[in-house]
Amino acid sequence: MKILQVNAGTENGGGRTIIINLIRALRKNNIDVQLLVFEKGPVADWAAKYNIPTTVMNQEGRLDLRVVHRLRKFIVDNKIDVVNTHGPRANFIMSLVSKKVKTKWVVTIHSNPLLDFSDNIKGKLLTQMNIRALKKAEHFILITPKFQPVLEEIGIDKNRMGSIFNAMDFSEKLPQTVHHDVFSLVNVARLTPVKNQALLLKTLAQVDFDFRLKIVGDGELRKQLQDLSRNLGLETKVEFTGFHDDTSSYYQKSDLFILTSNSEGFPLVLLEAANFGIPAIATDVGSCDQMISDETGWLIPPANSDKLKEALVAAYKKWQEDQLRPMGQKFYQYCSQNFSSQRLSQALMDVYQSL
């Protein structure tokens, strides 16, 4: 069976990592899988690091529809059995190809398709284009079952869906963490409205204990969040590091990971935190509840400053007692057992072979 994973190529952060991880998982099991992207960019660059066979279509902007013919020809020439698309642009292009080839088409839903674009005229148009494209696919892999009612709402039969959680290659050894001299926090996420770092900053301004926070990522709200941090008097406690491909040192230098998103699918950053033995506070969105329990962190309602403050105070007390590190080790043990790349590979192949 020949499998083709398709993406626009501009994904950064978690989306890119998820695509590369699933290809690596399949290749470890000697599955014939390759990557196709429409533009040279972060996804192709990361694929090169892991020697993943990659084809770049060199699309000249989103409106360059010459890639439709190129994609169709590639699928036919390479006798592809299954195409798995990731992201709205890949979905749209494949929707124009799907009736012209015999290959099976699977879509991985990484995020709520109703929230992928801004709430303006252009965003609403792109959302409708994506929905129309999605309806032509044969099967949907949801990274959280909480997306099922969303897809049903836009008219997709639940029998065409199945959930497969994200995964990663975990360290073979239990991570040995350090109790830092100052309560050290980290947030790894894009600086966009849906990640809601503003809530984190406003809540931290209310606590009466010392801390240091590193916000690792970049995005449209960076200046606004930096201004907010300064206005709240947090400029000596909060550092905006910008985007980094390798975030391992930030996890290693932290006592607690925090994710305050208003919406998520299955955030890979929680698995990354677990891999470094760092417990987490996360909003109860998407499938965060599949990873975090009372023994490994704190789940709080989204956009709720009071509950976030309660969790931060509780975590600080645990830090004072040096009890965060045992929580982090339990987090590692649970996630490494339940969200391994081997499990991901088998689950994907079960879907592909059932089509």
Side-chain angles (χ1 to χ4, degrees):
M1 176 176 282
K2 292 187 175 182
I3 301 163
L4 181 66
Q5 305 290 337
V6 181
N7 176 252
T10 56
E11 291 279 355
N12 223 328
R16 173 195 61 184
T17 306
I18 290 167
I19 294 167
I20 298 302
N21 279 356
L22 70 86
I23 295 174
R24 292 179 66 202
L26 290 168
R27 283 170 58 81
K28 281 185 177 181
N29 287 280
N30 299 314
I31 306 301
D32 188 347
V33 57
Q34 53 187 307
L35 172 68
L36 183 146
V37 295
F38 298 134
E39 294 183 37
K40 175 70 174 171
V43 179
D45 291 344
W46 255 46
K49 290 182 181 180
Y50 298 105
N51 298 315
I52 293 172
T54 303
T55 299
V56 180
M57 291 274 103
N58 294 315
Q59 185 181 24
E60 297 178 4
R62 294 174 182 270
L63 299 180
D64 179 9
L65 295 182
R66 290 175 295 177
V67 294
V68 174
H69 171 72
R70 294 174 196 159
L71 177 58
R72 175 184 174 278
K73 186 175 187 303
F74 184 92
I75 291 170
V76 173
D77 290 350
N78 289 274
K79 299 179 180 178
I80 301 298
D81 297 298
V82 178
V83 172
N84 192 161
T85 56
H86 305 264
R89 198 191 325 179
N91 299 337
F92 175 70
I93 298 298
M94 187 59 195
S95 74
L96 302 178
V97 173
S98 60
K99 298 301 182 182
K100 302 175 183 178
V101 293
K102 295 180 180 180
T103 187
K104 302 296 184 180
W105 177 21
V106 177
V107 175
T108 297
I109 303 294
H110 295 267
S111 56
N112 184 334
L114 299 179
L115 300 177
D116 279 338
F117 299 103
S118 301
D119 188 23
N120 53 33
I121 294 175
K122 179 181 178 182
K124 290 177 180 178
L125 175 61
L126 291 172
T127 296
Q128 289 304 312
M129 290 173 64
N130 187 35
I131 290 173
R132 284 197 293 270
L134 288 174
K135 290 180 179 180
K136 297 180 181 180
E138 294 176 61
H139 191 81
F140 299 86
I141 295 172
L142 317 182
I143 65 170
T144 169
K146 293 183 180 179
F147 288 155
Q148 180 174 322
V150 178
L151 293 193
E152 289 186 49
E153 179 185 338
I154 63 177
I156 295 173
D157 189 333
K158 65 180 180 181
N159 293 320
R160 295 160 62 193
M161 312 175 203
S163 298
I164 299 178
F165 294 128
N166 288 333
M168 65 176 290
D169 287 325
F170 285 87
S171 302
E172 294 183 3
K173 295 182 179 179
L174 189 69
Q176 299 301 311
T177 53
V178 175
H179 180 85
H180 297 92
D181 293 336
V182 178
F183 189 36
S184 300
L185 317 174
V186 65
N187 167 265
V188 181
R190 290 175 289 113
L191 308 189
T192 59
V194 73
K195 300 301 182 181
N196 204 3
Q197 284 98 344
L199 175 73
L200 177 57
L201 294 173
K202 291 175 183 177
T203 305
L204 283 170
Q206 302 173 30
V207 303
D208 58 4
F209 53 78
D210 195 17
F211 67 88
R212 296 295 182 272
L213 167 67
K214 286 184 169 58
I215 297 179
V216 184
D218 210 342
E220 62 195 80
L221 295 185
R222 180 166 182 171
K223 184 179 185 305
Q224 183 177 325
L225 289 168
Q226 287 175 319
D227 290 344
L228 176 62
S229 176
R230 184 168 52 255
N231 293 337
L232 291 170
L234 299 176
E235 63 268 32
T236 62
K237 297 184 177 183
V238 177
E239 178 185 350
F240 292 83
T241 72
F243 175 79
H244 291 270
D245 259 336
D246 184 358
T247 55
S248 57
S249 64
Y250 294 103
Y251 289 109
Q252 291 167 343
K253 295 176 182 178
S254 300
D255 299 298
L256 181 71
F257 180 82
I258 306 177
L259 188 68
T260 50
S261 303
N262 293 330
S263 177
E264 286 285 354
F266 188 101
L268 196 66
V269 287
L270 288 180
L271 295 186
E272 291 175 351
N275 192 41
F276 287 96
I278 308 299
I281 294 174
T283 43
D284 190 5
V285 294
S287 285
C288 292
D289 60 350
Q290 297 294 316
M291 292 172 275
I292 296 178
S293 68
D294 291 342
E295 293 186 336
T296 59
W298 292 263
L299 277 176
I300 60 170
N304 191 316
S305 182
D306 291 340
K307 291 298 183 181
L308 176 56
K309 184 178 179 180
E310 286 179 17
L312 285 165
V313 170
Y316 178 72
K317 290 180 179 177
K318 290 281 189 183
W319 173 79
Q320 287 181 306
E321 300 164 357
D322 198 15
Q323 290 301 307
L324 283 183
R325 291 195 293 164
M327 292 179 70
Q329 291 187 337
K330 289 180 180 178
F331 196 21
Y332 164 83
Q333 290 169 332
Y334 178 78
C335 289
S336 61
Q337 290 169 8
N338 289 278
F339 307 111
S340 67
S341 293
Q342 179 61 36
R343 288 196 176 201
L344 173 64
S345 175
Q346 186 57 58
L348 287 170
M349 287 309 299
D350 287 346
V351 170
Y352 297 152
Q353 291 171 346
S354 71
L355 297 174

